[in-house]
Amino acid sequence: MIRESSLADIFQIGYYWETKILLTAVKLDLFTALKGHSLTVNEVADSLKLNSRALELVMNALVAMRVLTKGEKLYTNTPVAERHLVQSSSEYVGHLLLLHDAEWSHWGQLEQTVKTGRSPVTQHVFETNPELGAHVLTVLDRIGQGSGQGLAKSVPIHGTVRMLDIGGGAGTNAIAFCLEHPGLSATVFDLPQTLKLTKDHVDRAGLGDRIHLQGGNFHVDAFQGSYDLALMSDILHYQDGSTNAALVKKVFACLTEGGRLIIKDRFLDPAKTSPAWTTAFAVHILVNTECGECFTIQDSRQWMEQAGFRIVEELEPRAMIQGTK
């Protein structure tokens, strides 16, 4: 039975205060200023050239949010802040939060978007701000390494020799698959500016001889060669249904007989009212992409069947589907 929201729940949902406080602290690099130290408000304000009275209000709120601690007049990072919000940390996730802050103005135009159906953006941040995009991909790569390994272990290879990772970003999945399956080679297809980062990650993994990079726009540029396995991970929601249908058909053409396409994404249920996080993500996509949207497993099944895949099966509920040529 689904619990009905209370008035307190409504207010909690409606207040975006804490979100903006945290994003602002990351943007000001407050947590890096506190790295390994307990400091007064004035000391932090002086180092960052901020107003001490305003900063104290923000830092007190961060204490209440359990991101900082306070002992008398001294403020200290919590362990999670020290680990994930200090720039020099190997587990820093601030760049991903900075992306959300960069999208703040888009969310402010949600009302107009609902009225007109038109997104306030025409290009994604990876095109408008490649530097931020590269930082975000690095964070996503680190976060996704665990899931990439799990995916590589769970997907049967069946003698697969060549794999195509479409929109493969930093190469997270291609690297995981090649490490898990020594006889496999992979091609990562992505924008040329993205592949500069991909090359660094591939070289660091020692897989430069097995993972090849192909630059281009997968909507207009041809995939070179033929493949036994193709992967489309978390790219459907950046474009509309007809564009995805055309892409699935294009992938079908580059697969060998018996080759497979695996689509991994954040799928909605048939009624499009759950999972809860994905329904909110769909609104995020509405205001932060020109024409993207979230889809159902049934949508992907239809695209695969129309493209000519003989067997289409859901591998993981609301997360992964496979088509066999």
Side-chain angles (χ1 to χ4, degrees), residues 262-279:
I262 293 176
I263 297 178
K264 181 176 179 294
D265 215 287
R266 298 168 174 87
F267 292 108
L268 293 161
D269 72 359
K272 300 185 177 182
T273 57
S274 69
W277 188 91
T278 309
T279 64

Side-chain angles (χ1 to χ4, degrees), residues 205-270:
L207 292 169
D209 59 333
R210 292 173 54 202
I211 297 181
H212 313 287
L213 309 180
Q214 184 184 347
N217 181 325
F218 52 65
H219 297 307
V220 297
D221 297 314
F223 301 129
Q224 298 171 4
S226 59
Y227 300 89
D228 309 303
L229 177 68
L231 176 66
M232 291 168 51
S233 178
D234 290 321
I235 63 173
L236 292 184
H237 50 258
Y238 288 113
Q239 49 263 335
D240 60 27
S242 60
T243 302
N244 284 327
L247 181 57
V248 169
K249 187 174 182 179
K250 182 177 178 180
V251 174
F252 178 86
C254 78
L255 289 173
T256 58
E257 194 63 32
R260 293 171 294 147
L261 167 62
I262 293 176
I263 297 178
K264 181 176 179 294
D265 215 287
R266 298 168 174 87
F267 292 108
L268 293 161
D269 72 359

Side-chain angles (χ1 to χ4, degrees), residues 4 15 80 82 146 216 219 224 239 287:
E4 183 179 338
Y15 291 157
V80 71
E82 192 79 9
H219 297 307
Q224 298 171 4
Q239 49 263 335
V287 294

Side-chain angles (χ1 to χ4, degrees), residues 20 138 156 175 202:
K20 189 57 176 175
T138 297
I175 290 170
V202 170

Side-chain angles (χ1 to χ4, degrees), residues 39 59 70 88 95 111 174 188 215 251 254 266 292 300:
L39 302 175
M59 294 180 72
K70 182 181 181 182
S88 58
H95 290 305
E111 179 184 353
V188 177
V251 174
C254 78
R266 298 168 174 87
S300 288

Side-chain angles (χ1 to χ4, degrees), residues 154-198:
S154 66
V155 172
I157 289 302
H158 299 322
T160 298
V161 176
R162 299 191 66 196
M163 170 185 173
L164 175 64
D165 188 2
I166 302 154
T172 312
N173 288 321
I175 290 170
F177 271 81
C178 285
L179 289 175
E180 181 67 23
H181 306 286
L184 181 70
S185 67
T187 295
V188 177
F189 189 105
D190 215 315
L191 298 171
Q193 59 265 37
T194 298
L195 291 182
K196 296 175 184 177
L197 174 69
T198 314

Side-chain angles (χ1 to χ4, degrees), residues 6-58:
S6 67
L7 180 58
D9 293 329
I10 295 297
F11 280 131
Q12 183 65 31
I13 294 168
Y15 291 157
Y16 50 77
W17 304 343
E18 290 184 346
T19 300
K20 189 57 176 175
I21 289 168
L22 176 62
L23 295 182
T24 299
V26 172
K27 194 168 185 179
L28 293 172
D29 212 12
L30 172 64
F31 304 101
T32 299
L34 284 167
K35 177 188 176 183
H37 296 94
S38 295
L39 302 175
T40 66
V41 168
N42 287 337
E43 288 173 325
V44 177
D46 288 344
S47 68
L48 296 178
K49 297 180 172 55
L50 303 173
N51 178 274
S52 59
R53 184 188 68 84
L55 178 61
E56 183 175 16
L57 297 176
V58 169

